[in-house]
Amino acid sequence: MPNPIIIANWKMNCTRAESLEIARAIAGYAGNHNIVVCPPFTVLFPLVQALKNLKLGGQDCSAHEKGAHTGEISASQLKDAGCSYVILGHSERRRNLNEQSELIREKATRALNSGLIPIICVGETAEEKKLGHTLEIIGEQLLSSVPAGANPGNAIIAYEPVWSIGTGVVPKDAEVAQAAEFIVRATKNIPIIYGGSVNGDNAADLLKIKNISGLLVGGASLNPKEFWKIVNSVNVTV
Ligand code: PGA
């Protein structure tokens, strides 16, 4: 597998000082690894100034280009702040802020137009899984969230089962493989990463799953030693 991408989603954590400490540790072992850090907006710029060898991403962007949208951040502002990626449609936003797939598609279009790579998140809830609707839900989310201009060179799909995020419970390899196979076909080969309770012990096995090109890491990315184990697990598979 060519250089898997490991993406850190720090969510709403870290002061400037804490961010710099974690990012310095990560930058220290980043080497040629393909690492992207998605910190809170407030620390993007300090990280850009302090660390030249880390790629950065936003955790969301607006569906609007600019103007009277209090509290929002545009894709072009993220680009201007030094980002090359943006996470969109994370289940915490779909669930807590009621973000619909159509809105996520508009955001992804803005991201593409600004030269950012959108990381579009899809995944089923525990209830949907129990009912056997996993692929149907993923299919609907892909159809409505992925813009027409997305292709294997400019976008990433993150398969994140909602029931796996922050729970310590990870799907079986075969379940991830089945979802990934489905996504590859539906999106005509847009790269897929897996997210949900990734840690230093399970990362290497997750990276071995067919069609999985990287990992989206939440909680474990705030702990530089644990994150190092995840990053280092890439070596096991290449
Ligand atoms: P987790 O979060 O690694 O803490 O489960 C993943 C995510 O929300 O992207």
Side-chain angles (χ1 to χ4, degrees), residues 34 44 58 80 83 140 143 156 198 232:
N34 193 6
L44 278 170
D80 182 53
C83 290
E140 279 169 16
L143 197 65
I156 292 174
V198 175
N232 202 32

Side-chain angles (χ1 to χ4, degrees), residues 26-207:
I26 295 175
Y29 55 64
N32 290 329
H33 287 288
N34 193 6
I35 301 176
V36 179
V37 175
C38 301
F41 297 135
T42 49
V43 297
L44 278 170
F45 199 56
L47 292 196
V48 171
Q49 286 180 311
L51 308 159
K52 305 292 177 212
N53 66 338
L54 284 185
K55 285 181 276 188
L56 292 170
Q59 296 176 17
D60 183 44
C61 74
S62 174
H64 302 285
E65 191 180 354
K66 64 191 289 192
H69 303 287
T70 303
E72 298 229 57
I73 302 238
S74 72
S76 58
Q77 287 172 319
L78 288 179
K79 181 79 178 171
D80 182 53
C83 290
S84 34
Y85 294 80
V86 60
I87 299 171
L88 295 173
H90 191 283
S91 64
E92 285 153 14
R93 297 191 66 86
R94 287 183 189 262
R95 186 184 58 216
N96 303 341
L97 302 167
N98 198 24
E99 285 199 2
Q100 304 293 314
S101 291
E102 290 70 23
L103 177 73
I104 292 154
R105 186 177 60 217
E106 286 170 30
K107 292 179 176 199
T109 301
R110 292 284 174 212
L112 290 173
N113 290 345
S114 298
L116 294 176
I117 295 181
I119 302 155
I120 301 171
C121 303
V122 298
E124 80 286 359
T125 63
E127 185 65 17
E128 289 159 349
K129 178 180 163 59
K130 210 167 84 188
L131 294 169
H133 293 167
T134 298
L135 297 184
E136 190 186 324
I137 292 295
I138 296 173
E140 279 169 16
Q141 290 175 338
L142 290 173
L143 197 65
S144 314
S145 318
V146 180
N151 64 51
N154 67 9
I156 292 174
I157 305 295
Y159 172 52
E160 297 210 300
V162 179
W163 50 272
S164 174
I165 295 175
T167 59
V169 186
V170 175
K172 297 188 186 85
D173 288 0
E175 292 173 324
V176 177
Q178 189 191 33
E181 174 84 35
F182 178 81
I183 296 169
V184 157
R185 285 197 193 158
T187 63
K188 300 197 173 63
N189 297 317
I190 294 182
I192 302 157
I193 62 176
Y194 169 81
S197 295
V198 175
N199 60 38
D201 294 329
N202 62 24
D205 286 339
L206 287 164
L207 284 170

